[in-house]
Amino acid sequence: MKITRISVYQVDLPLHEGSYKWASGKSVAVFDSTVVKIETDSGIEGYGEVCPLGPVYLPSYAAGARAGIKEIAPNLIGQDPTELAVLVDNMDRWLKGHPYVKSAIDMACWDILGKAAGLPIAKLLGGTYGDDFALYRAISQLPPKEMAENVKMYKDQGYKKFQLKVGGNPWEDIERIRECAKVLDNSDQLVADANCGWLMHDAVKVANGVRDVNVYIEQPCTSYEECLSIRRRTTLPFVLDECIDGLGILLRGFQDHAMDVVNIKISKFGGLTRARQARDLCVSLGIVMTIEDTWGGDVITAAISHLAHSTPEEFLFSATDFNSYVTKSIADGAPQRINGRMAAPTSPGLGVTPIWEALGAPVMVCDGSE
Ligand code: MG
């Protein structure tokens, strides 16, 4: 099988809540997402998506994803999309770094592989555990009482796992955590995610200030070393996210006892091929995971569902349903949240079909002719 054409679409995804706010005053109102369609000489086509959380979260941005795909697309024409390891190696030869650029392409090729095999991606990733899996809800940064009201609202919708966006003023963050914990039961899961937003002296104040609360501390500071310092000064369970971007740092974190949980964001690892490697390594090492991405719509939510549903239940800390945060549906067949839980589609590949009217005309098409 050979790739014959690559089309790229840009789509705006507004949020139901109007905006999403996290550490250090950062916010996004409309997500700029990129969808890729890969066509082949067999008639099978595959879809992928990448959606950075704005330009100031990780070293990635929406226009950069499209520029990067344009850069490597001519090389992809004629390649076999079902040979994922070869394809991913080749992409690294054509463009150094920029894993998020390669994520949507890798995802679309997994979609093609699944359709060629007649199997859902979750089966190709090892098979599914249980009927469905639990989701977390990210709670945008607001004054403490408003965040607690939102936690209560989403708890009433069936969620049992909550990720508070903190990383602001440490005394207000302590209040945020305490107010939100009040509306939860012991069986609920509460994470205070600073998204790199604290310096070490503030992170220590918060960790000490909530040491009696049933809460996880997530990525308090920017660097791995700063986070490790806070980890060594708290007894609370600890999550690493932004600084975990490959197998090397995962192994270092394991050796240093730097975390109890890690977040695997598909695009940060460069797609499902590399995220799956990290997932399997975590299972072997005994590290629990949240399976997610930087953001996205229906296509990314489907990809997350396949990786999450094929992760052993005891290792799946939580996962996300980004398509329920945004007002726009871009694909039919995407998994939908039911009572705070979700299941991977059972049809071949990702199991989604783009809604072409929602995506509009492609912003870039490459068939190797120019
Ligand atoms: Mg996080």
Side-chain angles (χ1 to χ4, degrees):
M1 195 188 298
K2 284 185 167 49
I3 295 173
T4 53
R5 182 183 307 199
I6 297 160
S7 306
V8 177
Y9 301 81
Q10 186 278 330
V11 61
D12 285 339
L13 302 174
L15 284 156
H16 284 294
E17 288 188 13
S19 71
Y20 177 75
K21 303 186 183 76
W22 71 101
S24 313
K26 294 171 185 167
S27 73
V28 169
V30 177
F31 284 94
D32 180 345
S33 197
T34 300
V35 173
V36 172
K37 175 172 81 172
I38 296 183
E39 293 170 73
T40 65
D41 60 359
S42 73
I44 295 176
E45 56 186 50
Y47 315 113
E49 184 184 6
V50 61
C51 184
L53 179 54
V56 290
Y57 172 61
L58 287 174
S60 62
Y61 67 108
R66 293 186 285 273
I69 292 167
K70 187 176 181 187
E71 179 73 26
I72 57 178
N75 299 291
L76 287 162
I77 304 300
Q79 295 285 312
D80 186 340
T82 63
E83 296 193 347
L84 267 303
V86 176
L87 186 98
V88 166
D89 282 347
N90 279 337
M91 285 202 284
D92 284 345
R93 269 190 276 279
W94 301 325
L95 179 69
K96 192 172 176 62
H98 301 276
Y100 73 107
V101 163
K102 300 158 187 168
S103 186
I105 295 165
D106 174 86
M107 202 179 280
C109 291
W110 273 94
D111 192 24
I112 291 168
L113 177 65
K115 287 168 179 166
L119 294 170
I121 290 173
K123 258 196 203 296
L124 300 176
L125 294 174
T128 51
Y129 292 84
D131 296 331
D132 57 9
F133 54 88
L135 301 161
Y136 80 80
R137 188 77 195 188
I139 306 296
S140 183
Q141 191 176 112
L142 290 166
K145 288 214 183 320
E146 289 174 49
M147 286 178 82
E149 283 166 18
N150 284 342
V151 168
K152 178 76 173 64
M153 176 178 75
Y154 288 114
K155 181 176 162 63
D156 290 343
Q157 291 179 21
Y159 286 101
K160 293 181 67 62
K161 298 168 187 266
F162 303 90
Q163 194 188 84
L164 308 181
K165 293 294 144 183
V166 289
N169 174 288
W171 306 114
E172 197 177 15
D173 282 337
I174 290 170
E175 212 186 321
R176 287 186 171 103
I177 295 164
R178 289 194 171 280
E179 286 295 324
C180 292
K182 276 188 209 164
V183 301
L184 296 177
D185 306 313
N186 265 342
S187 62
D188 295 327
Q189 192 183 80
L190 182 63
V191 175
D193 185 4
N195 291 107
C196 311
W198 293 317
L199 293 174
M200 286 190 284
H201 67 130
D202 283 339
V204 162
K205 282 178 213 163
V206 179
N208 284 335
V210 298
R211 72 173 98 196
D212 58 320
V213 180
N214 181 12
V215 64
Y216 292 72
I217 299 293
E218 178 170 333
Q219 190 80 32
C221 307
T222 300
S223 71
Y224 171 82
E225 289 76 12
E226 291 165 288
C227 289
L228 181 60
S229 168
I230 303 305
R231 159 72 163 178
R232 287 174 172 162
R233 289 186 266 168
T234 178
T235 54
L236 293 171
F238 210 81
V239 186
L240 287 181
D241 183 353
E242 284 85 349
C243 68
I244 300 292
D245 59 0
L247 300 189
I249 193 71
L250 255 179
L251 286 168
R252 186 176 166 201
F254 173 72
Q255 295 286 353
D256 291 343
H257 311 289
M259 71 282 181
D260 305 293
V261 184
V262 294
N263 291 4
I264 308 289
K265 288 184 159 80
I266 293 171
S267 62
K268 194 170 51 172
F269 283 81
L272 282 168
T273 303
R274 295 264 162 81
R276 184 258 187 105
Q277 275 187 325
R279 187 273 305 270
D280 290 347
L281 178 64
C282 283
V283 170
S284 297
L285 295 176
I287 302 167
V288 175
M289 290 157 277
T290 285
I291 304 286
E292 57 170 356
D293 208 328
T294 48
W295 209 276
D298 287 312
V299 182
I300 280 175
T301 301
I304 291 169
S305 75
H306 287 286
L307 189 60
H309 210 155
S310 60
T311 299
E313 286 169 280
E314 66 271 32
F315 285 99
L316 188 63
F317 187 68
S318 63
T320 25
D321 58 327
F322 286 126
N323 61 349
S324 84
Y325 291 67
V326 298
T327 61
K328 191 167 187 171
S329 181
I330 59 166
D332 292 321
Q336 304 296 329
R337 162 169 57 94
I338 299 169
N339 216 13
R341 303 180 69 85
M342 198 165 78
T346 53
S347 45
L350 283 171
V352 298
T353 308
I355 300 167
W356 300 111
E357 312 84 73
L359 296 177
V363 295
M364 195 273 287
V365 177
C366 175
D367 58 10
S369 61
E370 64 270 24

